[in-house]
C-alpha cells in the first residue's frame, strides 16, 4: 500500500507545483500589462485618454491583485503537500 500512496502523493505534489507555476505566469502577465499602462500614464503624451487609462490601470491592478491571491493560495496548497 505504501508505494501506491507515494505515487498519489507525488502526483498531488506535481499537480500543486504545476498550479503554482501557472499562477506565477499569470502574475507576470498581469504585472507586465500594469507596467504598460503605467508607462503610458507616465509618458504624458498629448492626446492620451487619461480617464480611460486610469480605468485600465485600475483593472490591471485588480488583475495583479487577483493573480497574486491565486498564487498565494496555490503556494499554500503546494507547501501543504510538499
Amino acid at each position: 500500500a505504501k508505494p501506491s500512496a507515494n505515487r498519489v502523493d507525488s502526483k498531488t505534489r506535481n499537480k500543486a507545483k504545476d498550479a503554482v507555476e501557472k499562477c506565477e505566469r499569470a502574475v507576470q502577465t498581469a504585472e507586465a500589462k500594469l507596467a504598460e499602462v503605467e508607462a503610458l500614464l507616465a509618458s504624458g503624451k498629448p492626446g492620451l485618454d487619461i480617464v480611460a487609462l486610469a480605468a485600465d490601470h485600475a483593472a490591471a491592478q485588480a488583475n495583479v491583485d487577483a493573480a497574486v491571491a491565486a498564487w498565494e493560495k496555490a503556494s499554500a496548497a503546494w507547501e501543504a503537500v510538499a
Side-chain angles (χ1 to χ4, degrees):
K2 203 69 164 159
S4 173
N6 286 341
R7 224 177 303 126
V8 170
D9 289 347
S10 175
K11 196 173 188 179
T12 300
R13 281 192 298 273
N14 287 341
K15 189 173 181 181
K17 182 182 177 200
D18 290 346
V20 169
E21 290 171 352
K22 180 179 178 185
C23 288
E24 287 172 348
R25 288 189 299 273
V27 169
Q28 290 171 345
T29 300
E31 287 177 337
K33 176 62 177 168
L34 179 61
E36 248 178 61
V37 174
E38 287 176 343
L40 279 172
L41 281 168
S43 74
K45 290 181 183 174
L48 287 177
D49 185 345
I50 299 302
V51 174
L53 281 174
D56 288 349
H57 184 271
Q61 184 63 59
N63 287 340
V64 168
D65 294 344
V68 169
W71 173 82
E72 288 172 345
K73 184 177 178 182
S75 292
W78 185 29
E79 288 174 11
V81 296

